[in-house]
Structures are given as structure tokens and as C-alpha cells.
Amino acid sequence: MTVEVKVEVEETQMGEVSISEEVSSKKQVVQESKPTTVQKSSSYKEESNFLSDLKEFEKKALIDLKAKLEEAILGNNVYKKEEEPKKDEKAVEESAEEKEKAVKEEGEEAEKSTEESKPECAATEKEGEKEETHEVVVEGKSTEESKPECAETEKEGEKEETHEVIVEVVDRDISLWGVPLLPSKGAEGTDVVLLKFLRAREFKVNEAFEMLKKTLQWRKDSKIDSILDEELCVDLSSAADINGVDREGHPVCYNVFGVFENEELYQKTFGTEEKRSHFLRWRCQLMEKSIQKLELKPSGVCSLLHINDLKNSPGPSKKELRIATKQVVGLLQDNYPELVAKNIFINVPFWYYALNTLLSPFLTQRTKSKIVIARPAKVTETLLKYIPAEEIPFKYGGFKRENDYEFYGDDNSVSELYLKAGMTETIEIPAPEADATLIWDVSVLGWEVHYKEEFVPNDEGSYTIIVQKGKKIGSQEGPLRNTFRSNEPGKVVLTIENTSNKKKRVMYRFKTKKSPSS
């Protein structure tokens, strides 16, 4: 005869400590107001992150997203629940058999104990004392027996049963790019981060929320928060460089694809799926380094400028590069939304347009609107629209040289003038004292001009000294730097004659270094 003993525990025994954090929040059901169209940013300047500057539908979307995020974080619903590992079917069956056997044995012991206690129970009933009743189900029939010792036996059985107490700890410190995400914390950068996801999804709250959750899950699974501490085996320092800022203060990252023309480096980077995986991780690390230079708050600079140099880059015939490029584009677009203000492609060869056609379906319209393309002859001119000449590297027609400490602070600023067709202009660099060293940089966009340098003394009785003979400078010439040490007061005169039929843009800067003895 089998016996089932049903025990329901509604309260934990005294002495047990249960730690649980109850978070009550009002659930608001709101319908998203969907704008008919999303306006593109016509200006290069970043869109405002101040709440007062947002449109009404944008404010509403931000408020709704913050409410959903608050509820998700406090409800521990941001990350996927970790599933317990499945047991073997055999192990499950064996466990079920053991439990069934234990229940049988427990039932037989209870029945035996009941029979042994009948005399005592009967005696107790005759005395008229009322005892606690306990319900035992035997083959579907219920019997009530007054038996103190039986109750004690069953209570001992209850004590032997173990009950797991699940303690759920709410992680209120979830953050992204160093910014706390729990809206009720009131962090200055929370709105900035959430607006990036909203703008990436055209202010559709549910889509932005899902994108944010996927990004957080990806970062957790890929251990992105600790990626800056990793020493990756791939040496790609020549392939990318974070160098200077643009006119709006955005950090500039130069991606140089021409280094992969080297077959050895190409194979080391893209040769196998594992190597491409290392490359993607290196690219994530570079992005995280770039983000550290941002100031994620409404008044700060919150995005980057990317310059992609395609000079000597392997063409689309390289299958591995195509695969890696597609993966990088998807990874950055899905997990780093609105962190790149502009993507400028320079030295673009003809094959790029074919590659762009392949990648275009994977790009959002908003991403496409941020792409700028410059052919080799227009590189410097294009970069100057976004970056000041003193911040553009020398190899791209700017005045910034590696390990150059001649110009800094106020001396670093560049002056400009425009030279009409057929006209001549002079730039004068004063040398008010003897034994002074004059240093200057000069460049003309597209050159095609006649240029000379000479020192003219203040003393009319002294001779003019030719520093640089007059010569015609071709269109491929980069910026020029020269120095002159004067033995007497005077000035260096730079003469530029525009022999072309186009207006020319002239950039220059100079400084005077006094002799140490003076």
C-alpha cells in the first residue's frame, strides 16, 4: 500500500534569513507617437542632447524609453536569464526513481508508525482530550486520526526536507561607455546615450529598447568592458591612429587600409576565420579607446570623426577583406550607434563604388547620410572642411608633423588668404632683432604657382638675401617648411604668384625664435 504525504510550506521557519529587494513601480502603457519622417542633420554640428532642444515627439520617446529601461533594470530583465545546464535523460530518470522510492519508504514508515501508536491514541481519546488533526491520504482515501506522536513523526519528516531560497539581487549599476543607465540615478550622460539609440532607430521606442538590450548582452557575452586591458596579439598600429580633433572638437580616427597591401600582414590579419575574429576584437578595442576621449554629456563632444584612407588598399577581389569589412560595418552599426559624426573616405579608387554597392544594403539611411567621398585630387580640400590645417597630418596636406614641437599653443594657429587668378601676394615674417631664427610653414591648395623666399634687411644699405630661388610648384607638392637665421633686423618675404586661371587658397604660419644669448 502506497502513501503520499503532501506538505505545503507557506512560510519559512523562524531563523531563516531571506534577502529580497522589492521594487514597486507603476507600469505606464503609452503609445509611441511616430513621426512621419526623420529629419536628417543638414549641419555637420552634432544634434543637441539638451532636453529643451528636443522636439515634442523626441522628448516623449526619450521619456518612454527611460521608463522601459528603469522597469527592466529593477526587474532584472535587461540580460537573458542564464539557463541551468540540462541533465542527462538517464540521470533524470534515475533521480525520478530515487524520489519515488523515497516517497514509498516514507509512506510505509508513516503507516507503520500509525499502527504502533493506535493504543496510545485510543487511550487518549477515552480521556476526552482533543488533539491536533493531521490529514493523511492513503490510496485516495482521507482519514483523520488524533495522534500527537504521529504529528511529531511527520514534523520530523518536514524538517528533513530542504527548500531552496532563491535570492535575486538587482544590479542597479548597469552602465554603457562609463555612463550609468538607471534613469533614476540622474546621471548627466544617461539621456545622451539613450538618444543615440533612439536616433539610430528613428525614435521608435521599442526598437531602440531592443537594440540597447542586444548591445548590453553582446558586451556581456564578449567581455567588452574589459577589452582595454587585453593585449591582443595582432599588431595593427599602422592601420589606425587616433590623431587630433576637428573644428567641432570631435576626436579624429584615421583608418589606413593601404597597409594591407602587404601580403604578409594581410594573411596575418584576414587569412583565417580565427584571425578575422582577432581583427574584429582589435577593432572593438580601438573603438573603446576612441570613446574614452569623448565627453558623454549634453554640453560635451559625444561623437567621433572617421577618416578612411583607401590609397593602395586591396580591392574587392580580396574575399577575406570583403567579409571582414562587412562584419565591421555590422558590428559598429549595431553596437556603437551615433558615435561617428562623419565617415570620410579619401583617396577613393574606382573599385570603391563597386564595394559600396555591395555594402549599401547593410547600411541604414542615416549611416549613408554621414558618408563623404573624396577622390585623390580633393583630399586636402575635403579634410579642410572639417579639420583645421594644423590638425591635418602632413601626408594629407596639413601642417601636423610627427614629433614636431616647433609650433604649439598660439604659434600653432594657421592663417589663410585667397589669391585671385593672375595676382601676386606676399607674406612678411618680421625679424625685429639680429640673431633671430625664423621658421615658417606654407601651402597652397593645388599649388600650380610661382613661389620664392627672400630676406630683406631693414638697413637700406644691406643686400637682399635669396632664401629660396623662385620656382614653379606643381599640384602634387605638399606643405613647405623652411628656416632662416638673420644677422640683422629685417623680414623674410614669401612671394606667391598665381599663374593659373583659378583662385588659390594659401595657408601659412610662422614664428620667431630669439637667440639664447639675447
Side-chain angles (χ1 to χ4, degrees):
M1 188 167 66
T2 61
V3 180
E4 285 184 4
V5 180
K6 295 183 179 180
V7 182
E8 294 183 5
V9 180
E10 295 181 358
E11 297 180 359
T12 56
Q13 296 179 358
M14 292 184 67
E16 289 183 331
V17 180
S18 174
I19 303 173
S20 63
E21 185 174 2
E22 295 184 1
V23 181
S24 61
S25 59
K26 295 180 179 180
K27 296 182 180 178
Q28 300 177 346
V29 180
V30 291
Q31 293 181 347
E32 300 173 343
S33 66
K34 300 180 181 178
T36 53
T37 58
V38 176
Q39 295 183 357
K40 296 180 184 178
S41 175
S42 58
S43 169
Y44 172 58
K45 194 172 182 179
E46 279 189 277
E47 293 160 299
S48 176
N49 290 308
F50 286 102
L51 190 62
S52 58
D53 293 335
L54 300 180
K55 296 176 181 177
E56 285 305 314
F57 78 88
E58 294 174 340
K59 288 180 185 177
K60 185 177 185 300
L62 179 59
I63 292 169
D64 292 349
L65 180 57
K66 288 168 76 173
K68 290 177 76 71
L69 183 58
E70 181 91 12
E71 183 179 355
I73 292 177
L74 297 181
N76 265 354
N77 294 321
V78 174
Y79 299 109
K80 293 178 181 177
K81 301 295 183 184
E82 295 183 4
E83 296 182 359
E84 294 182 3
K86 293 183 179 179
K87 297 180 181 179
D88 263 350
E89 290 183 6
K90 289 184 179 179
V92 173
E93 288 176 6
E94 288 175 5
S95 177
E97 288 175 4
E98 287 176 4
K99 285 183 180 177
E100 189 178 345
K101 188 176 179 182
V103 171
K104 277 186 179 181
E105 289 176 356
E106 189 178 345
E108 289 172 0
E109 286 178 7
E111 186 181 350
K112 187 177 179 182
S113 175
T114 303
E115 290 175 358
E116 288 177 356
S117 62
K118 277 181 181 180
E120 293 180 13
C121 294
T124 306
E125 286 174 6
K126 286 179 182 179
E127 291 173 1
E129 294 181 4
K130 294 182 180 179
E131 304 292 344
E132 292 181 356
T133 62
H134 186 80
E135 185 176 348
V136 179
V137 180
V138 181
E139 292 185 351
K141 297 179 181 180
S142 64
T143 61
E144 287 188 4
E145 298 179 4
S146 177
K147 45 188 182 306
E149 290 186 11
C150 296
E152 287 177 9
T153 304
E154 290 183 2
K155 284 179 181 179
E156 287 175 3
E158 287 179 17
K159 289 178 184 178
E160 290 175 2
E161 291 186 15
T162 58
H163 302 281
E164 291 184 6
V165 178
I166 300 175
V167 180
E168 195 171 73
V169 180
V170 175
D171 184 4
R172 294 170 172 264
D173 298 322
I174 295 176
S175 63
L176 179 58
W177 307 317
V179 176
L181 288 182
L182 185 64
S184 57
K185 280 194 170 186
E188 195 175 13
T190 304
D191 284 2
V192 174
V193 172
L194 297 186
L195 281 169
K196 289 186 179 298
F197 285 86
L198 284 168
R199 285 174 174 137
R201 289 296 178 263
E202 300 181 350
F203 284 90
K204 296 173 183 175
V205 177
N206 290 334
E207 291 183 20
F209 181 59
E210 287 304 314
M211 184 185 188
L212 176 58
K213 284 178 65 176
K214 287 178 181 178
T215 294
L216 292 171
Q217 188 66 50
W218 169 77
R219 292 179 70 87
K220 181 180 180 181
D221 296 342
S222 305
K223 297 180 173 59
I224 299 298
D225 287 337
S226 61
I227 199 170
L228 290 176
D229 300 325
E230 295 181 18
E231 291 186 10
L232 300 177
C233 57
V234 286
D235 181 16
L236 294 172
S237 56
S238 59
D241 181 30
I242 305 168
N243 190 347
V245 296
D246 67 5
R247 296 184 185 276
E248 301 291 337
H250 302 96
V252 182
C253 181
Y254 293 87
N255 302 297
V256 185
F257 291 86
V259 298
F260 298 118
E261 184 184 34
N262 182 300
E263 186 63 23
E264 184 180 353
L265 180 60
Y266 180 89
Q267 291 301 328
K268 280 184 179 179
T269 308
F270 307 112
T272 65
E273 187 175 346
E274 183 181 0
K275 289 175 180 177
R276 288 194 294 275
S277 177
H278 284 304
F279 170 74
L280 289 176
R281 194 151 187 84
W282 167 82
R283 193 63 189 77
C284 290
Q285 189 183 65
L286 178 66
M287 196 66 183
E288 295 293 322
K289 287 179 181 177
S290 302
I291 293 171
Q292 285 197 319
K293 296 182 178 293
L294 299 178
E295 195 176 7
L296 295 171
K297 61 181 186 179
S299 60
V301 174
C302 303
S303 58
L304 309 160
L305 176 65
H306 275 190
I307 309 297
N308 306 286
D309 185 2
L310 300 182
K311 185 177 182 179
N312 298 326
S313 173
S317 59
K318 294 282 190 178
K319 179 183 176 182
E320 299 83 3
L321 180 60
R322 286 203 318 272
I323 294 172
T325 302
K326 180 181 173 182
Q327 289 174 327
V328 168
V329 168
L331 185 146
L332 296 182
Q333 188 171 253
D334 292 343
N335 300 292
Y336 295 95
E338 299 300 310
L339 281 168
V340 178
K342 283 288 180 185
N343 244 319
I344 304 176
F345 290 82
I346 59 175
N347 292 314
V348 173
F350 286 109
W351 59 255
Y352 167 81
Y353 298 98
L355 179 62
N356 188 49
T357 302
L358 293 174
L359 293 177
S360 186
F362 304 100
L363 302 176
T364 64
Q365 189 58 43
R366 189 173 176 87
T367 299
K368 292 177 186 177
S369 70
K370 295 179 180 181
I371 294 176
V372 177
I373 298 174
R375 297 281 294 156
K378 297 288 185 179
V379 169
T380 307
E381 183 180 348
T382 301
L383 294 182
L384 281 169
K385 292 178 182 178
Y386 305 98
I387 310 171
E390 59 269 26
E391 290 290 348
I392 298 176
F394 177 78
K395 66 178 180 178
Y396 296 128
F399 288 172
K400 192 167 191 175
R401 300 167 185 259
E402 291 184 13
N403 305 316
D404 178 25
Y405 304 102
E406 290 293 354
F407 291 92
Y408 56 89
D410 294 337
D411 295 331
N412 194 36
S413 60
V414 175
S415 300
E416 295 186 4
L417 62 86
Y418 286 88
L419 186 57
K420 293 181 179 179
M423 299 295 290
T424 300
E425 283 283 355
T426 59
I427 300 168
E428 297 183 356
I429 306 172
E433 299 176 2
D435 294 328
T437 300
L438 308 179
I439 306 170
W440 63 89
D441 285 330
V442 62
S443 181
V444 179
L445 279 183
W447 287 94
E448 296 295 340
V449 299
H450 193 271
Y451 175 76
K452 70 176 179 178
E453 304 169 347
E454 53 190 3
F455 176 75
V456 180
N458 289 345
D459 187 350
E460 294 181 0
S462 299
Y463 294 101
T464 297
I465 301 173
I466 296 175
V467 180
Q468 170 68 58
K469 287 182 179 181
K471 64 175 182 178
K472 186 171 182 178
I473 300 180
S475 60
Q476 301 302 315
E477 190 74 39
L480 299 179
R481 170 172 290 185
N482 209 348
T483 62
F484 179 78
R485 183 172 180 177
S486 64
N487 293 321
E488 57 182 315
K491 60 185 176 184
V492 167
V493 180
L494 313 180
T495 304
I496 305 168
E497 181 186 356
N498 184 4
T499 56
S500 72
N501 58 359
K502 296 180 181 179
K503 183 169 69 172
K504 296 292 183 178
R505 183 178 181 180
V506 181
M507 300 172 292
Y508 64 94
R509 66 181 176 184
F510 59 83
K511 67 182 289 188
T512 302
K513 293 171 67 176
K514 294 181 180 180
S515 173
S517 59
S518 60

